[in-house]
Amino acid sequence: RGVKIAEPLVKYDPVAAEKLLFRQPTKWFVRNVQIAGPLGWWAAGVVQDYLTLSSSSSSSSARRAQQQRERRAVQLRDAISGLGPAIIKAGQALASRPDLLPSEYLDELQKLQDDV
């Protein structure tokens, strides 16, 4: 007879999902703003740090840049953790990519796996 495999109650239909999404443009827009707001605020801070800290090359400037990276890493983790499970999952994936992010960010994003 074989093993019975559970079937989903509702089969995923990408066309129906797309139609549902675009019938609710306000929900779609609000969610995009909810995601773009915190991440955009974080990105603007990173750009500001780069512009203000890249002009000098003293050892105190390097220490300050390190502190800013640590602060921005916490800010990114906090932003991601407030955006829901799909975004948290993306943050967890980023935590395993040392080729993409500095170690300060990896340490903070690793906390998403520990805390969630």
Side-chain angles (χ1 to χ4, degrees):
R1 274 183 128 172
V3 177
K4 289 188 175 183
I5 298 175
E7 292 289 326
L9 297 176
V10 178
K11 186 173 168 101
Y12 175 70
D13 181 1
V15 175
E18 181 181 5
K19 286 179 184 177
L20 178 63
L21 173 70
F22 288 111
R23 278 197 321 243
Q24 304 172 0
T26 305
K27 266 187 171 178
W28 175 84
F29 179 75
V30 167
R31 183 62 181 148
N32 279 290
V33 169
Q34 289 172 337
I35 293 170
L39 296 180
W41 188 252
W42 166 79
V46 170
V47 170
Q48 179 187 14
D49 293 347
Y50 177 77
L51 294 175
T52 58
L53 295 173
S54 65
S55 58
S56 63
S57 60
S58 68
S59 64
S60 65
S61 177
R63 188 168 18 98
R64 185 154 182 251
Q66 169 77 22
Q67 292 170 339
Q68 285 298 91
R69 277 195 308 274
E70 290 170 359
R71 192 173 127 233
R72 296 297 176 198
V74 170
Q75 184 184 15
L76 178 62
R77 187 205 58 206
D78 290 344
I80 288 173
S81 64
L83 293 175
I87 307 299
I88 290 171
K89 193 56 135 173
Q92 290 171 339
L94 277 175
S96 65
R97 295 296 307 266
D99 57 324
L100 296 178
L101 294 172
S103 62
E104 299 86 4
Y105 286 89
L106 298 175
D107 293 340
E108 284 301 319
L109 293 178
Q110 183 68 37
K111 293 176 183 177
L112 291 173
Q113 295 177 348
D114 299 338
D115 296 340
V116 175

